[in-house]
Amino acid sequence: MTEAGERRSQLLTDYDSECEAPWPVRALNASDALKAAHAEILAQRTCIGELPGEIGDLQVEWIEEAIQRITSENTTLKQRVRRLTAANRTLDEHFKATRSNLRFLDRRVADLQAQITVLGPRT
């Protein structure tokens, strides 16, 4: 409590001495404080003005990385489509050959059945 009271009395003494200072000194101090505030505001505005440019640069980097990634994925997918198309073509050819063999065997079975009916049963 004693220390807080001493600090308070010191602050009041400092304030009183500032108030008792001649007005030209107070005006110069205020002028210096105003110049410092304007300089700080200018620095902050400059910083704020540069940030959108930095964001744009980062976005461009992200966009370039995305383009590279998508291009790579596209190439991979095109290769996969080519492999699947070739496999599909091969399977289609096998199905056609199997159907042809099945038709041949159906005709052969029909011919054999016709021969059995014409010749009759064997004893």
Side-chain angles (χ1 to χ4, degrees):
M1 290 291 277
T2 307
E3 289 177 21
E6 288 175 7
R7 271 189 257 138
R8 179 170 165 74
S9 63
Q10 180 64 36
L11 288 173
L12 289 173
T13 305
D14 291 344
Y15 179 74
D16 288 340
S17 65
E18 286 178 13
C19 288
E20 291 175 5
W23 69 266
V25 173
R26 289 194 314 262
L28 287 174
N29 290 342
S31 176
D32 290 342
L34 185 62
K35 285 179 185 176
H38 281 296
E40 179 64 22
I41 290 170
L42 181 62
Q44 292 295 327
R45 285 183 178 166
T46 303
C47 181
I48 290 170
E50 291 172 356
L51 288 176
E54 290 177 16
I55 291 171
D57 292 343
L58 290 173
Q59 286 176 339
V60 168
E61 289 177 16
W62 290 340
I63 290 171
E64 288 176 3
E65 290 174 7
I67 289 171
Q68 290 174 351
R69 180 180 49 81
I70 290 170
T71 303
S72 174
E73 289 175 5
N74 190 29
T75 303
T76 304
L77 289 173
K78 283 181 180 179
Q79 291 171 351
R80 187 170 178 203
V81 165
R82 279 190 219 111
R83 285 194 306 270
L84 290 173
T85 302
N88 189 26
R89 194 175 309 118
T90 302
L91 286 174
D92 192 39
E93 290 170 2
H94 286 168
F95 287 143
K96 285 179 183 177
T98 303
R99 284 187 206 111
S100 175
N101 287 340
L102 186 59
R103 281 192 297 272
F104 171 76
L105 291 174
D106 282 343
R107 274 188 252 124
R108 179 75 176 132
V109 167
D111 288 343
L112 290 174
Q113 287 175 342
Q115 285 178 3
I116 290 175
T117 37
V118 170
L119 295 177
R122 289 190 175 185
T123 42

